[in-house]
């Protein structure tokens, strides 16, 4: 262990606990009020640009994915009240949740059944648009439904898209790229579940399997792609496009809350909890939400104890300069969507003034929460997603945050949103195995 890391273990209590694989609730001391934000890497105009691009593609998406007919080609998920889950958490875990508890069901997002259907699909669409416009085959004012024609599939088939993944990103990139006509290669880390590899292969995607972790799969994928001028690499470690695809969720959620007549203001704070792997998805969603609600939304990331890379990166300020292996933990977790040992190079820096904190959770508890949600609300989400409830299980720390933020008097009117990030595509036999795990 290098001396620097030792220093952090000695001086940052959250890092010391993480090194012992204990659950941690880290409150971000660098969070700033909106008036002091100076974010330059991305801008609100970038979110608008991403939202407009998704709108341009809506006629195409509606044409090729029948499940998007009802939404007119917009990939969005339900926001559902889960009062019985709130009671369950309060009863079984002394969570002390006041106000409403809602579930944002990205677990059921169309096309690929996870939050990656936001960022992953967005990045593929953006790449396709750039290629087609550059070749003079498409204008922004065209009806993009033409992209479904064989001529375009032929055009895209000259190009390759590659990505490294623990599973869900590969599913989104793979399904979308293959639909457009691209050749696709997904580099899957050891954590990836068999059924995800099988499903991708059935859609004509080339899946390369690695005996190594996520960072290794990404590195190999990037190398392969860089060696081929016709290949594009979706770089989860650095991608601004992925981040912006996720950030579009902010305004969409605002519309849903308005439709449910749920106010968000200083007297009605919004608390949002999002499972975190490399950081792109929760970072993008957080950025989108903070842009809409400013100081009235409080965003938390949640991670498995074995793969708490974002907490380490942010608590030490080293960001991608530290990995879980550096503090002697293995990065191995059943929460495959979160099995990342080193955080994104740019997300932690962008969200530094925005994020409220990060809670970590033991793998075994994820299964208990999964069964709890299924029993109380009849909703199945995958174990990774259940990390969204982590902060409630360390209620003293959450309460401490509320106290520091001066919100005690208004918590009875608060809304909490647990962001369910994956689940609908999990096959029945795998669901049953999850349901029977650890009991
Ligand atoms: C990818 C993923 C996340 C987190 O996204 P990152 O961009 O890796 O932080 C959370 N939950 C599930 C189910 C995922 O697949």
């Amino acid at each position: 262990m290098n001396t620097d890391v030792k220093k952090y273990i000695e001086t940052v209590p959250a890092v010391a606990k993480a090194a012992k694989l204990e659950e941690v609730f880290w409150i971000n001391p660098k969070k700033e009020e909106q008036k002091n934000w100076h974010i330059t890497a991305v801008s609100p105009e970038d979110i608008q640009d991403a939202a407009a691009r998704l709108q341009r593609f809506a006629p195409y998406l509606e044409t090729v994915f029948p499940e998007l007919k009802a939404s007119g080609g917009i990939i969005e998920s339900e926001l559902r009240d889960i009062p019985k889950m709130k009671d369950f958490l309060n009863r079984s875990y002394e969570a002390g949740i006041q106000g409403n508890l809602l579930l944002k069901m990205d677990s059921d997002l169309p096309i690929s059944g996870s939050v990656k259907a936001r960022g992953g699909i967005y990045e593929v669409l953006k790449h396709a648009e750039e290629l087609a416009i550059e070749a003079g085959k498409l204008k922004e004012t065209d009806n993009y439904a033409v992209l479904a024609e064989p001529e375009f599939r032929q055009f895209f088939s000259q190009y390759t898209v590659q990505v490294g993944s623990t599973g869900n990103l590969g599913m989104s990139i793979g399904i979308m790229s293959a639909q457009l006509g691209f050749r696709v290669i997904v580099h899957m880390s050891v954590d990836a579940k068999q059924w995800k590899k099988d499903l991708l292969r059935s859609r004509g995607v080339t899946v390369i399997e690695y005996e190594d972790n996520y960072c290794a799969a990404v590195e190999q994928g990037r190398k392969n792609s860089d060696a081929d001028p016709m290949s594009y690499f979706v770089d989860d470690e650095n991608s601004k496009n992925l981040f912006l695809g996720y950030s579009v969720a902010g305004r969409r959620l605002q519309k849903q809350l308005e439709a449910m007549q749920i106010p968000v203001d200083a007297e009605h704070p919004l608390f949002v909890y999002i499972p975190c792997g490399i950081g792109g998805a929760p970072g993008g969603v957080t950025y989108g939400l903070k842009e809409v609600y400013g100081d009235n939304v409080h965003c938390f990331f949640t991670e498995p104890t074995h793969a708490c890379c974002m907490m380490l990166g942010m608590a030490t300020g080293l960001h991608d300069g530290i990995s879980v292996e550096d503090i002697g933990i293995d990065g191995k977790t059943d929460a495959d969507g979160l099995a990342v040992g080193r955080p994104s190079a740019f997300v932690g820096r962008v969200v530094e003034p925005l994020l409220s904190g990060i809670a970590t959770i033991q793998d075994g508890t994820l299964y208990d929460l999964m069964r709890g949600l299924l029993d109380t609300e009849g909703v199945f989400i995958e174990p990774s997603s259940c990390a969204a409830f982590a902060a409630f299980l360390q209620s003293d720390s959450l309460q401490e945050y509320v106290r520091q933020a001066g919100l005690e008097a208004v918590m009875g009117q608060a809304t909490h949103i647990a962001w369910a990030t994956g689940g609908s595509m999990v096959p029945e036999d795998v669901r049953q195995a999850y349901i029977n795990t650890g009991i």
Side-chain angles (χ1 to χ4, degrees):
M1 193 177 293
N2 74 39
T3 46
D4 250 14
V5 169
K6 229 187 214 137
K7 179 186 90 193
Y8 290 112
I9 290 182
E10 281 158 12
T11 57
V12 186
V15 175
K17 283 179 84 177
K20 288 187 273 179
L21 291 173
E22 289 172 20
E23 289 180 346
V24 170
F25 194 114
W26 173 76
I27 296 176
N28 178 14
K30 293 185 180 161
K31 178 171 174 279
E32 291 280 355
E33 287 179 24
Q34 185 167 19
K35 60 180 193 306
N36 297 327
W37 298 347
H38 304 288
I39 297 167
T40 52
V42 281
S43 70
E45 291 72 40
D46 291 335
I47 305 181
Q48 282 306 319
D49 178 60
R53 181 164 294 105
L54 288 169
Q55 198 63 55
R56 288 198 290 280
F57 272 96
Y60 166 72
L61 293 172
E62 186 184 348
T63 304
V64 295
F65 295 112
E67 72 231 73
L68 290 177
K69 269 270 172 293
S71 66
I74 295 298
I75 302 165
E76 197 40 75
S77 72
E78 186 191 344
L79 179 62
R80 181 191 294 207
D81 196 13
I82 49 168
K84 293 188 205 123
M85 183 62 178
K86 174 186 153 184
D87 293 344
F88 169 77
L89 290 166
N90 284 349
R91 206 173 49 242
S92 305
Y93 294 96
E94 294 173 28
I97 303 168
Q98 295 177 273
N100 303 321
L101 176 62
L102 308 179
L103 192 69
K104 180 57 179 159
M105 296 183 65
D106 279 6
S107 45
D108 283 22
L109 273 178
I111 304 178
S112 64
S114 83
V115 69
K116 305 292 194 312
R118 296 184 187 277
I121 288 176
Y122 173 73
E123 179 150 357
V124 172
L125 296 178
K126 181 161 194 275
H127 178 56
E129 184 184 57
E130 280 167 0
L131 289 173
I133 288 178
E134 213 169 283
K137 298 174 80 66
L138 186 73
K139 293 193 302 295
E140 282 191 12
T141 48
D142 288 347
N143 181 334
Y144 281 21
V146 294
L147 292 169
E149 314 247 324
E151 178 203 338
F152 276 97
R153 289 187 51 85
Q154 185 73 34
F155 170 68
F156 291 127
S157 71
Q158 320 163 63
Y159 299 96
T160 304
V161 174
Q162 304 198 44
V163 65
S165 176
T166 63
N168 286 339
L169 185 62
M171 296 258 283
S172 285
I173 303 282
I175 293 170
M176 191 66 247
S177 303
Q179 182 65 49
L180 280 158
F182 286 110
R183 292 182 56 222
V184 206
I185 305 174
V186 176
H187 302 263
M188 288 282 204
S189 67
V190 65
D191 318 276
K193 305 288 184 214
Q194 190 59 43
W195 66 269
K196 294 182 183 174
K197 301 176 202 170
D198 296 343
L199 187 145
L200 284 175
R201 286 183 174 128
S202 78
R203 305 232 180 164
V205 173
T206 303
V207 177
I208 302 181
E209 300 177 61
Y210 295 86
E211 284 303 314
D212 211 334
N213 66 21
Y214 176 67
C215 292
V218 170
E219 193 182 317
Q220 199 52 49
R222 189 188 288 122
K223 226 186 252 165
N224 270 29
S225 190
D226 288 351
D228 176 357
M230 298 299 271
S231 175
Y232 177 81
F233 186 64
V234 177
D235 191 348
D236 202 12
E237 291 179 338
N238 294 292
S239 175
K240 187 173 147 179
N241 290 328
L242 281 171
F243 186 89
L244 290 170
Y246 295 119
S247 72
V248 172
R251 292 248 171 245
R252 302 236 188 112
L253 188 84
Q254 180 187 33
K255 287 219 177 77
Q256 290 183 314
L257 285 169
E258 281 170 5
M260 293 168 82
Q261 299 185 318
I262 296 174
V264 178
D265 53 38
E267 275 73 50
H268 302 84
L270 177 63
F271 280 64
V272 181
Y273 311 89
I274 319 167
C276 177
I278 200 158
V285 171
T286 293
Y287 179 66
L289 286 169
K290 294 296 285 189
E291 205 271 311
V292 172
Y293 293 119
D295 298 330
N296 297 325
V297 63
H298 304 266
C299 298
F300 294 85
F301 292 176
T302 60
E303 298 185 295
T305 49
H306 283 254
C308 54
C309 65
M310 188 57 77
M311 193 283 294
L312 284 182
M314 292 189 72
T316 61
L318 296 174
H319 299 292
D320 60 326
I322 189 167
S323 76
V324 295
E325 287 86 5
D326 291 335
I327 64 161
I329 62 179
D330 59 9
K332 293 202 167 71
T333 167
D334 281 0
D336 55 332
L338 315 179
V340 179
R342 187 184 297 279
S344 154
F346 101 106
V347 171
R349 292 179 173 93
V350 172
V351 301
E352 202 158 66
L354 310 179
L355 192 69
S356 293
I358 301 179
T360 68
I361 185 167
Q362 310 269 8
D363 275 17
T365 314
L366 297 174
Y367 292 100
D368 295 333
L369 291 166
M370 187 194 72
R371 285 184 285 266
L373 184 65
L374 191 59
D375 291 345
T376 57
E377 302 281 351
V379 173
F380 173 84
I381 63 176
E382 64 188 69
S384 295
S385 283
C386 297
F389 300 106
F392 301 127
L393 276 49
Q394 300 185 63
S395 63
D396 289 351
S397 302
L398 185 55
Q399 208 44 49
E400 174 59 21
Y401 173 85
V402 165
R403 205 188 51 73
Q404 286 179 18
L407 295 170
E408 286 150 303
V410 295
M411 288 310 285
Q413 295 130 233
T415 295
H416 301 269
I417 297 179
W419 210 282
T421 44
S424 69
M425 292 187 81
V426 177
E428 193 49 44
D429 57 325
V430 180
R431 278 184 201 211
Q432 282 311 319
Y434 283 158
I435 289 166
N436 294 322
T437 298
I439 49 172

